[in-house]
Amino acid sequence: MGKYLVTHTYTDFETGRFEREIVEVLDKQKSQKADELVYGEKIKAPFVWMVYQNHMPLFPELTPSSVTRLIYLSTFLDNDGRIVFGKGDASIEVDTLAEKLFLNRKQAQKFVDELKYHNLLDISNGAYSIAQSRFKKGNIIKSFEQCIRLFVTPIRSFYSGISWRSHTGAANIFYLIPYLNWQYNIACENTNSKKLDRIQPYSFTRLANA
């Protein structure tokens, strides 16, 4: 017998969100039902999970440009938390990383050093691994407070469509995530509200100061 804190609600193709509830797993059959509760319908589009805290700044320790680059980089995660570009060996050279991030070598190395300093990236035998406490691919039936699906195709399309000079400004889009209502994608005070008429929207001033 065991209990998992799971959250569930799938909103649309672009975003997904969990609403927390307790599921008691007594046997294999109920465990499968718990899986169904977590994922709702089967999502065929590839995605990774990002863990965050409601109404708390997203990665405040990082520069804005690094936030954009980290979220993009997370779309290359495998189920072991490693960054894998294509099939086969997970070993990565800085030059390869720079090419994938559309950066020069100096920019890529600075980005890597920043992630390592804040314990968001580990490098072992040439393999790059992102902290699974913040990003995870695959099953995450755990007691995470808030999680969101980052769909691979839209994130990569967005990132590849902007220049490195726009990475700082692009972070403002991702900074909205902790303040969005999980069902209506409205920036508001009560992000877990299920009723549209009870939502307390942020003013532009409140959002700018968040």
Side-chain angles (χ1 to χ4, degrees):
M1 182 183 298
K3 288 187 177 181
Y4 297 97
L5 285 180
V6 298
T7 48
H8 166 69
T9 289
Y10 175 64
T11 56
D12 56 31
F13 184 80
E14 298 291 338
T15 60
R17 198 69 153 264
F18 278 154
E19 176 190 88
R20 186 167 59 179
E21 55 184 289
I22 296 178
V23 177
E24 187 171 318
V25 180
L26 299 177
D27 52 33
K28 183 177 181 180
Q29 182 178 4
K30 286 196 174 184
S31 178
Q32 291 173 344
K33 289 182 178 180
D35 290 345
E36 294 170 0
L37 179 60
V38 170
Y39 292 103
E41 60 184 280
K42 185 177 181 180
I43 309 300
K44 295 182 180 180
F47 64 88
V48 295
W49 295 109
M50 182 177 73
V51 180
Y52 65 95
Q53 289 184 292
N54 221 10
H55 288 283
M56 295 294 290
L58 190 67
F59 300 110
E61 68 273 30
L62 299 179
T63 60
S65 60
S66 289
V67 171
T68 300
R69 293 162 187 170
L70 174 60
I71 288 176
Y72 169 72
L73 188 63
S74 74
T75 66
F76 294 95
L77 279 176
D78 68 7
N79 288 340
D80 295 319
R82 302 176 305 172
I83 299 299
V84 178
F85 300 131
K87 299 180 180 179
D89 191 3
S91 180
I92 298 174
E93 299 291 337
V94 174
D95 289 336
T96 302
L97 182 67
E99 181 182 354
K100 288 292 184 179
L101 291 171
F102 306 106
L103 304 174
N104 60 42
R105 195 180 196 283
K106 183 177 180 181
Q107 290 171 318
Q109 187 62 63
K110 183 177 180 181
F111 170 61
V112 167
D113 291 343
E114 185 178 359
L115 295 188
K116 288 174 61 180
Y117 180 79
H118 294 291
N119 298 314
L120 290 169
L121 182 72
D122 178 71
I123 303 176
S124 179
N125 297 321
Y128 287 55
S129 299
I130 294 181
Q132 294 195 58
S133 60
R134 303 305 302 272
F135 294 93
K136 182 75 169 64
K137 183 177 181 180
N139 194 339
I140 57 166
I141 301 182
K142 293 183 178 180
S143 56
F144 291 131
E145 288 296 320
Q146 294 286 345
C147 304
I148 190 170
R149 290 181 178 94
L150 299 176
F151 285 94
V152 170
T153 301
I155 294 293
R156 291 184 185 176
S157 177
F158 171 73
Y159 185 92
S160 63
I162 61 177
S163 72
W164 65 267
R165 293 181 177 87
S166 299
H167 291 172
T168 295
N172 289 318
I173 296 174
F174 301 117
Y175 286 152
L176 287 173
I177 291 174
Y179 307 97
L180 293 177
N181 178 274
W182 56 266
Q183 186 167 354
Y184 301 106
N185 290 332
I186 298 174
C188 61
E189 297 285 354
N190 48 339
T191 56
N192 292 323
S193 176
K194 298 180 181 180
K195 296 185 178 182
L196 183 59
D197 59 355
R198 293 187 179 181
I199 287 181
Q200 303 168 25
Y202 273 179
S203 65
F204 284 114
T205 301
R206 175 69 177 86
L207 191 58
N209 294 327

